[in-house]
């Protein structure tokens, strides 16, 4: 579930090699509009903000990063900011229901990672760390979960139940922490009851899940062992996502198409969390997390099509 490959310069070279005229002809090709291809590509069903700004940037070519002045396409994957031809105000911002930490393997090429998409589109809720420089999660492990498949992994819908067991087992760093927490929680609830009883019920239900942060590993599958075995991640609740097929344009050799890119894993987790934990109808609230991903997917698909590879 943890594979990513995207190099902006490669994208640009592939796109420019075909030329704008051939790309247009390919986009208008009837065989790309068949019902089966629509079903095979869920990205076509997303509710996205206008991607006109990316279309314009594609036509104008590479541009400078406003921070490091490096030449990039669409965004700088080292500074986590859009390039000069992509005004920040024209990029959608996504508000997430919890915080996300992304732990990036040191050998993972910056330009091949889709993790930066999450930082660009949800800057207030996403933090990217380069391993081994990661936080200590021990004191907060009763409210943190790690997205990683394994024999002890649970489904999204079972998060609340398992985190509750973590609290009962006393995973706090000290007895003081454990004894102090219920008092703080009780005071918070009493305060909300004074405001509005109905709000208290809703808040208590949300508080009951206790999940406040989710961790993703940004790495090829073969590189994950070094990170997942780190002592700072031991004892965290592990979550396994429902099986979904990736739309990523660079599959890991020998791996099934159910191995998702990082941004896909984040997106699908949030959709499941919204429905299974928040118990709310999903109406595209997080679709814009795939704002860059879907555009690049189309760009690469069209380039391959025009090159006769599809």
């Amino acid at each position: 579930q943890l594979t990513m490959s995207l190099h902006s310069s490669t994208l640009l070279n592939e796109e420019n090699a075909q030329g704008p005229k051939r790309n247009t002809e390919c986009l208008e090709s009837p065989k790309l509009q068949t019902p089966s291809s629509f079903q095979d590509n869920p990205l076509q069903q997303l509710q996205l903000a206008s991607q006109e700004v990316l279309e314009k940037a594609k036509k104008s070519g590479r541009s400078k990063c406003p921070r490091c002045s490096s030449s990039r396409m669409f965004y700088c994957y080292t500074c986590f900011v859009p390039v000069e031809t992509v005004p920040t105000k024209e990029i959608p911002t996504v508000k997430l229901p919890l915080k996300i930490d992304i732990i990036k393997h040191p050998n993972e090429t910056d330009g091949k990672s889709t993790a930066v998409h999450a930082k660009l589109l949800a800057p207030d809720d996403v933090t990217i760390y380069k391993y081994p420089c990661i936080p200590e999660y021990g004191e907060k492990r009763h409210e943190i979960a790690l997205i990683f498949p394994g024999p002890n992994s649970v489904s999204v819908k079972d998060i609340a139940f398992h985190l509750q067991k973590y609290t009962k087992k006393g995973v706090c760093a000290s007895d003081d922490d454990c004894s102090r927490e219920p008092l703080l929680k009780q005071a918070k609830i009493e305060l909300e009851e004074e405001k509005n009883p109905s709000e208290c019920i809703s808040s208590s239900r949300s508080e009951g899940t206790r999940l406040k942060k989710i961790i993703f590993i940004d790495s090829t599958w073969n590189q994950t062992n070094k990170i997942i075995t780190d002592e700072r991640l031991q004892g965290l609740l592990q979550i396994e996502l429902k099986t979904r097929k990736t739309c990523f344009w660079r599959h890991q050799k020998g791996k099934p198409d159910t191995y998702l890119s990082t941004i896909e894993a984040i997106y699908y987790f949030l959709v499941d969390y919204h429905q299974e934990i928040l118990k709310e109808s999903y109406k595209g609230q997080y679709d814009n997390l795939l704002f860059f991903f879907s555009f690049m997917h189309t760009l690469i698909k069209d380039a391959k099509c025009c090159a006769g590879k599809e």
Side-chain angles (χ1 to χ4, degrees):
Q1 289 179 321
L2 305 163
T3 165
M4 44 238 59
S5 285
L6 170 61
H7 201 300
S8 298
S9 62
T10 303
L11 274 174
L12 180 61
N13 291 337
E14 289 183 1
E15 192 270 330
N16 284 345
Q18 307 310 320
K21 183 176 180 180
R22 293 185 66 191
N23 267 337
T24 302
E25 292 171 350
C26 185
L27 276 169
E28 296 171 352
S29 174
K31 69 178 183 178
L32 290 181
Q33 306 302 323
T34 61
S36 59
S37 66
F38 181 85
Q39 293 173 2
D40 291 340
N41 181 13
L43 298 180
Q44 295 181 5
Q45 305 176 47
L46 297 172
Q47 300 179 42
L48 298 173
S50 171
Q51 294 175 319
E52 184 178 357
V53 63
L54 300 182
E55 288 286 358
K56 291 179 180 179
K58 183 186 71 171
K59 292 177 182 178
S60 61
R62 300 170 74 89
S63 181
K64 284 186 178 181
C65 167
R67 293 187 183 175
C68 68
S69 298
S70 297
S71 178
R72 298 283 190 258
M73 191 68 176
F74 303 129
Y75 56 81
C76 179
Y77 43 75
T78 51
C79 299
F80 308 143
V81 295
V83 294
E84 293 177 346
T85 55
V86 182
T88 303
K89 63 181 180 180
E90 295 187 39
I91 296 177
T93 300
V94 184
K95 181 61 182 173
L96 307 185
L98 35 67
K99 301 298 182 181
I100 288 179
D101 281 1
I102 300 174
I103 301 175
K104 186 175 177 297
H105 192 282
N107 294 336
E108 183 68 22
T109 305
D110 289 340
K112 292 184 178 182
S113 171
T114 62
V116 63
H117 296 184
K119 182 62 179 176
L120 285 162
L121 297 164
D124 295 336
D125 298 317
V126 175
T127 304
I128 298 179
Y129 297 96
K130 181 170 287 190
Y131 188 83
C133 299
I134 66 174
E136 295 284 349
Y137 293 109
E139 294 183 8
K140 298 289 185 179
R141 71 179 63 160
H142 58 291
E143 57 188 35
I144 299 175
L146 170 68
I147 299 296
F148 198 82
N152 298 319
S153 297
V154 304
S155 64
V156 173
K157 66 182 177 64
D158 292 328
I159 288 176
F161 173 73
H162 286 277
L163 283 181
Q164 186 178 28
K165 290 197 302 182
Y166 270 47
T167 304
K168 287 180 179 179
K169 288 179 181 179
V171 296
C172 301
S174 68
D175 292 337
D176 289 341
D177 289 338
C178 290
S179 62
R180 186 165 58 242
E181 185 184 11
L183 295 176
L184 292 173
K185 182 178 177 182
Q186 181 179 359
K188 181 179 179 181
I189 293 177
E190 288 174 352
L191 204 63
E192 290 170 344
E193 284 179 332
E194 291 178 6
K195 292 180 180 179
N196 189 319
S198 62
E199 288 181 4
C200 171
I201 295 174
S202 175
S203 178
S204 296
R205 185 178 299 139
S206 176
E207 178 74 15
T209 68
R210 302 193 58 78
L211 185 62
K212 295 183 179 179
K213 180 176 289 185
I214 200 80
I215 301 171
F216 291 84
I217 297 176
D218 183 44
S219 165
T220 58
W221 184 258
N222 293 332
Q223 293 174 334
T224 58
N225 188 62
K226 182 177 181 180
I227 297 178
I228 196 63
T229 55
D230 189 287
E231 62 179 9
R232 290 167 291 183
L233 298 181
Q234 302 312 301
L236 292 176
L237 179 65
Q238 289 184 206
I239 309 297
E240 187 162 6
L241 300 179
K242 293 178 181 177
T243 301
R244 291 183 172 94
K245 291 185 178 181
T246 182
C247 290
F248 201 32
W249 45 90
R250 285 179 180 165
H251 300 298
Q252 289 187 54
K253 188 175 181 181
K255 302 300 182 183
D257 59 5
T258 52
Y259 281 32
L260 306 174
S261 66
T262 297
I263 193 63
E264 287 177 300
I266 292 173
Y267 169 74
Y268 284 124
F269 166 78
L270 289 170
V271 172
D272 290 345
Y273 181 84
H274 194 84
Q275 296 172 321
E276 301 285 357
I277 301 299
L278 301 184
K279 302 297 183 182
E280 296 178 14
S281 175
Y282 183 71
K283 299 179 180 178
Q285 289 90 335
Y286 314 119
D287 283 10
N288 275 321
L289 284 175
L290 299 178
F291 180 76
F292 290 105
F293 184 89
S294 63
F295 185 83
M296 293 172 177
H297 176 272
T298 300
L299 190 155
I300 293 296
K301 184 178 178 65
D302 294 342
K304 288 183 177 180
C305 167
C306 295
K309 294 182 180 180
E310 289 188 356

